[in-house]
Amino acid sequence: MAKLAPLGAVPLGDCAVYVEFSKTLDLEVNSAVQRLATMLHGRALPWIRDVVPALGGLAIHFDPDHPALSGDALTAALNTVSDCLKEGLPKPGDVLRTVEVPVCYESEFAPDLAEVAALAKVAPEEAVQLHSTSDYRVLMIGFAPGHAYMGGLSPKLAVPRRAAPRAIVPAGSVAIANDQTVVYPYAISGGWSIIGRTPLAVFDAERQEPSLFAAGDRVRVKPISRAEFQKLVGK
Amino acid sequence: MSIQVVRPGLLMTVQDIGRHGHQHVGLCPGGAMDPLALTLANALVGNEHGAAALELTVLGPDLLFERDSLVALVGAEFEADMPINRPVLVARGSRVSISRAARGARGYLAVAGGIAVEEVLGSRSTYLPGGFGGLDGRVLKRGDLLPLAPESAKLSRERFAALKHKDKRGSSVRWSVPPLTVPDREPIVLHAIEGEHFGDFDANMQRVFFDTVWRVTPDSNRMGYRLGGPPLTRSKTDEILSGPTCLGSVQVPANGVPIALMADHQTTGGYPRIAEIASADVPRLAQIAPGGTVHFARTTLDMAAELRKDTRTRMETMLRGIAWEYGK
């Protein structure tokens, strides 16, 4: 790909900056943004509070009055980004993590599967097959802790968002909309079509690594039965 | 031994200065909505600035203290049967009754040694959307017992003994700290820099944004403040790629009602961001109750830095004064 260069830097108030690389979703740029974020995290600069990779760029949240800073934080943040880019980003293969997610597609966990299959003009079994054999990438984490937006859904399953969002979607619900799939970390409201459920805790604040997913992860689905689901619940 | 919640008030939670370093997995820092008031409350009882305290909202609680406790209630001007904005030694077995906030929206009740709930991801703050931190990750209710530090009674008595200028009753002092963040009058002025999508709104809409006196709507909460006024419409119709947000971002959803992002905000969002509130002004916004009014003033990053510096200078002066009263 072409050399990664920021389109610009937009101050997010006086304690953060958004460094933008693309205004549209470009998977190569997205992957580079994740690796840049990994690199920035690795620098562990005391005045940087958070590095948040998103779809087309990343935010650096900083303490503008940190004693370790000599000049202004915004300039320092942008200098750090250009240093990283000059040094060269890690290769995708060096930082790629693969997360396997067991998903049960049985009807009690998949209220919208029949509708999705009808819209896609395939049998429900084929819809499950399409969903469970795709190779996903986490494009961004947002909306709720651990809530991963994953790209790579089969175009055949690209259904629009539901007209009326559900007030409560059960935790672990696996849902799709447009060209993406998500797993709801908590019982929250949501407007995507639910086609399965994972027994895993997507976000557990008590766990060493609270979030099951990180931006940039490769995600594989493993279809499981009801019995396997019950065995894995809460693990 | 602990503090017992006899009547919980409106929305009382345990909060400290929050948990930084987890926004990349979608978890915002959270913590006290008004961290300046929290810092002062902690200083008044001799705690380090980030200790966990009770965050009170608009209507305060009745609390039963099971042991001698040095406490301070700072922030909104709550009507209470104890003096506010100063250290108070509450005797074992006493009940403290706090009613409504006459001015401001949030108060912080700090106790010597801090509220000793377990830390989760480096903070004792309650994160309501995720249901963790604080006491069982939830709003406090009647009958709850809030754990205190093991030596809190001894700590309370020792610290109170060190204070100069005691009052006649011997349970408080003859001075108080002025509220840093509670407004004298409304609308308050919020300094704001242009957001990434400011230019997506036409000149008329931009003028409306800065000319309007916005009213904080009742569905405002720790995640965001919704601002009632004339609807803001974006001239551009192209989709915005979801991007990161920040404490104090003002986003405008399709219904035209701006939302100012507060402590428990989402870390990313797909709505246009018209403005970003200067960080020094966010704690002042946290002191506006639903129905209260705000006004935006266009500012620059340099001005935002000046505002931060002013706040820091005032805070440092107060902290020095409090340390002096403790004989330090």
Side-chain angles (χ1 to χ4, degrees):
Chain A
M1 67 177 277
K3 209 165 152 38
L4 188 73
L7 295 177
V10 186
L12 283 168
D14 52 320
C15 297
V17 61
Y18 177 49
V19 187
E20 192 172 51
F21 293 91
S22 175
K23 285 191 183 296
T24 53
L25 180 55
D26 174 323
L27 294 182
E28 272 193 52
V29 171
N30 181 263
S31 158
V33 163
Q34 317 299 358
R35 284 176 279 135
L36 175 59
T38 305
M39 207 171 170
L40 288 166
H41 272 294
R43 300 223 159 176
L45 294 167
W47 49 276
I48 292 186
R49 290 167 167 161
D50 275 300
V51 178
V52 187
L55 297 175
L58 55 78
I60 301 173
H61 295 260
F62 46 74
D63 173 359
D65 302 314
H66 198 281
L69 277 168
S70 50
D72 86 293
L74 182 63
T75 312
L78 298 177
N79 286 342
T80 308
V81 168
S82 48
D83 285 352
C84 287
L85 293 175
K86 251 182 248 157
E87 208 175 293
L89 298 177
K91 298 218 165 25
D94 294 346
V95 288
L96 193 71
R97 241 177 32 146
T98 300
V99 180
E100 191 184 65
V101 185
V103 176
C104 181
Y105 294 94
E106 295 294 345
S107 54
E108 66 267 40
F109 301 134
D112 303 327
L113 182 60
E115 199 181 311
V116 165
L119 275 170
K121 299 193 175 68
V122 296
E125 297 73 30
E126 195 183 337
V128 167
Q129 168 81 8
L130 285 167
H131 187 265
S132 61
T133 52
S134 293
D135 188 11
Y136 298 106
R137 286 284 190 290
V138 177
L139 305 174
M140 180 175 82
I141 304 235
F143 182 59
H147 187 272
Y149 292 90
M150 299 178 223
L153 181 69
S154 162
K156 282 194 197 157
L157 287 183
V159 294
R161 282 183 203 208
R162 305 182 66 76
R166 284 193 173 82
I168 291 287
V169 173
S173 289
V174 175
I176 57 173
N178 303 318
D179 53 356
Q180 291 177 21
T181 188
V182 294
V183 188
Y184 286 94
Y186 299 114
I188 41 182
S189 70
W192 294 32
S193 293
I194 305 166
I195 60 164
R197 198 184 298 177
T198 180
L200 300 186
V202 176
F203 192 92
D204 178 356
E206 309 279 349
R207 205 160 52 193
Q208 181 74 31
E209 285 268 349
S211 180
L212 183 62
F213 304 112
D217 282 350
R218 174 187 209 185
V219 178
R220 299 292 206 140
V221 170
K222 182 186 173 218
I224 55 169
S225 66
R226 260 188 206 103
E228 286 169 299
F229 182 94
Q230 295 308 341
K231 236 177 19 200
L232 288 170
V233 164
K235 293 266 170 72
Chain B
M1 293 301 260
S2 47
I3 301 173
Q4 190 186 329
V5 178
V6 179
R7 185 182 54 81
L10 192 59
L11 182 109
M12 179 165 63
T13 54
V14 177
Q15 297 294 343
D16 61 16
I17 46 168
R19 35 181 84 79
H20 282 287
H22 305 283
Q23 289 204 66
H24 62 291
V25 288
L27 176 61
C28 63
M33 289 278 279
D34 179 353
L36 300 176
L38 172 74
T39 297
L40 277 181
N42 274 324
L44 287 173
V45 298
N47 290 348
E48 45 106 8
H49 88 286
L54 298 178
E55 181 177 273
L56 280 46
T57 314
V58 179
L59 186 67
D62 286 354
L63 301 170
L64 181 66
F65 289 83
E66 295 182 347
R67 51 169 113 155
D68 291 348
S69 301
L70 182 63
V71 305
L73 176 56
V74 179
E77 200 179 292
F78 277 95
E79 292 164 0
D81 58 6
M82 65 168 222
I84 66 169
N85 296 326
R86 67 190 78 195
V88 180
L89 187 66
V90 177
R92 181 165 62 106
S94 321
R95 184 169 155 157
V96 164
S97 186
I98 304 166
S99 59
R100 56 179 274 278
R103 264 193 327 143
R106 284 177 175 85
Y108 295 85
L109 187 95
V111 188
I115 305 289
V117 293
E118 290 288 316
E119 276 195 4
V120 180
L121 294 174
S123 163
R124 296 184 168 86
S125 283
T126 314
Y127 178 58
L128 294 174
F132 61 82
L135 194 74
D136 301 333
R138 59 167 171 78
V139 173
L140 297 172
K141 58 177 203 255
R142 182 208 299 254
D144 279 343
L145 296 173
L146 293 158
L148 296 173
E151 297 285 294
S152 81
K154 185 163 165 274
L155 210 59
S156 289
R157 288 189 296 265
E158 281 172 6
R159 286 182 185 173
F160 186 69
L163 278 166
K164 304 169 184 172
H165 306 110
K166 306 267 188 352
D167 67 358
K168 284 200 191 99
R169 292 163 62 194
S171 60
S172 186
V173 295
R174 297 199 308 266
W175 52 272
S176 65
V177 294
L180 263 179
T181 44
V182 178
D184 288 325
R185 67 183 79 82
E186 290 180 19
I188 62 161
V189 174
L190 297 172
H191 297 84
I193 64 165
E194 292 177 7
E196 181 178 7
H197 308 104
F198 185 73
D200 289 6
F201 296 84
D202 68 21
N204 181 46
M205 278 297 142
Q206 294 176 355
R207 205 163 38 241
V208 167
F209 178 71
F210 285 111
D211 284 353
T212 300
V213 172
W214 299 95
R215 190 169 291 275
V216 175
T217 69
D219 53 350
S220 297
N221 54 31
R222 282 185 46 91
M223 292 180 77
Y225 269 33
R226 286 176 173 73
L227 304 175
L232 295 177
T233 40
R234 182 169 166 254
S235 341
K236 276 183 148 176
T237 52
D238 54 335
E239 276 271 310
I240 286 174
L241 198 60
S242 269
T245 58
C246 191
L247 178 68
S249 291
V250 183
Q251 49 183 31
V252 184
N255 66 5
V257 180
I259 304 173
L261 300 187
M262 301 303 278
D264 286 344
H265 65 90
Q266 293 177 0
T267 53
T268 63
Y271 297 130
R273 295 186 316 275
I274 192 169
E276 307 280 348
I277 300 169
S279 61
D281 283 349
V282 176
R284 297 171 53 246
L285 176 56
Q287 288 297 352
I288 303 299
T293 51
V294 306
H295 189 267
F296 290 99
R298 194 186 295 221
T299 195
T300 59
L301 278 180
D302 286 345
M303 185 64 195
E306 283 298 312
L307 292 168
R308 269 198 333 267
K309 199 171 149 201
D310 282 358
T311 306
R312 201 171 59 233
T313 308
R314 291 180 64 192
M315 178 60 87
E316 279 166 2
T317 306
M318 282 196 210
L319 294 180
R320 267 199 306 277
I322 295 167
W324 186 80
E325 292 290 343
Y326 269 105
K328 286 176 192 161

